Amino acid sequence: MENNIVLIHAGIAVLFALYLLLRLTISLFGLNSPEYQANMRRKFRIADYCFVGLILVSGLYPIIILGKIELYHALKIMLLGLVFWASRISTMNYVGASLLGLLLLAAAGYTSFTDSPVFPKAGSTFEKDHPEVATLSNTEKGRAIFSSICAECHGNDGKKGLFHAADLTLSKLTTEQKIEIIKEGSPLTVMRSFSKELSAEEIEAVVTYVEKYMVEN
């Protein structure tokens, strides 16, 4: 179940975004009619409750698996709460509520995918945020980066495979392919791009560490 819940959660989020877009489009027909807007709010009540509930439930499940809640989890829940507030509690025009909901859902999706509530700083590297690794060897630096960033899904031994993370000990990818996946991410998986958080040298250090200690030859 834990391997599929992220895909289920993402699918629900995409459907929710399409639903909000549909809700926005229909509401636009009566933009200047308070009665029409109030009627739309009544008609979409059940769907609003269902979508927000499904997203919260499917989003909380990974937190239970990980056994901890981080800042981006809390922010995501808060943003989804604001979507619900705009849709069901506030008295704003339903067009505005739908548009605000789309923006908040996009922000929540970003924090979920990147594990961060903010855009990565340009030129950011692991060493800048962790100056203590500056004196480490290439392999030791790779170990530090892997433990800090990768182990949560891949496990310290590379075999964990949480949320469909690959078993690194069985990898048949070339060194260049591994570097590319870390840089660009892997489509339709939770493996995101780390090109804005790790330098080229740091990415190579991680791959060197993985190939030296995890890949079974």
Side-chain angles (χ1 to χ4, degrees), residues 39-205:
N39 187 44
M40 289 300 97
R41 193 180 293 275
R42 286 192 297 271
K43 284 188 174 181
F44 286 113
R45 181 181 68 249
I46 294 176
D48 287 344
Y49 279 112
C50 288
F51 270 113
V52 172
L54 284 170
I55 287 208
L56 284 176
V57 170
S58 61
L60 288 172
Y61 190 75
I63 298 175
I64 296 172
I65 295 173
L66 295 173
K68 62 180 178 179
I69 184 167
E70 298 181 357
L71 175 61
Y72 73 91
H73 289 137
L75 179 64
K76 180 183 170 186
I77 292 171
M78 182 189 74
L79 291 172
L80 290 173
L82 288 174
V83 173
F84 179 78
W85 170 83
S87 298
R88 304 308 329 154
I89 300 174
S90 77
T91 57
M92 72 172 66
N93 184 292
Y94 209 49
V95 171
S98 300
L99 182 58
L100 179 60
L102 276 168
L103 295 174
L104 291 170
L105 184 63
Y110 176 84
T111 64
S112 178
F113 185 69
T114 62
D115 299 348
S116 171
V118 297
F119 290 105
K121 291 181 283 188
S124 178
T125 67
F126 187 81
E127 188 172 319
K128 283 184 179 179
D129 296 330
H130 302 82
E132 67 276 5
V133 306
T135 59
L136 299 179
S137 69
N138 192 53
T139 303
E140 290 172 334
K141 187 178 295 185
R143 183 198 300 273
I145 296 171
F146 186 92
S147 298
S148 176
I149 297 176
C150 315
E152 186 167 79
C153 290
H154 288 287
N156 288 320
D157 60 359
K159 296 181 178 182
K160 188 175 184 180
L162 186 61
F163 306 134
H164 275 309
D167 183 340
L168 301 179
T169 65
L170 303 178
S171 176
K172 302 299 182 184
L173 299 178
T174 65
T175 298
E176 291 72 22
Q177 288 173 324
K178 294 187 185 96
I179 290 173
E180 186 67 15
I181 286 178
I182 296 174
K183 284 176 60 179
E184 303 299 332
S186 181
L188 301 179
T189 73
V190 295
M191 180 63 188
R192 57 187 176 86
S193 166
F194 287 92
S195 60
K196 293 183 179 179
E197 299 167 61
L198 300 175
S199 67
E201 293 76 17
E202 288 169 345
I203 291 175
E204 290 177 9

Side-chain angles (χ1 to χ4, degrees), residues 4-21:
N4 296 316
I5 194 65
V6 171
L7 295 178
I8 293 172
H9 178 64
I12 294 172
V14 170
L15 289 176
F16 191 25
L18 294 174
Y19 161 72
L20 288 173
L21 187 60

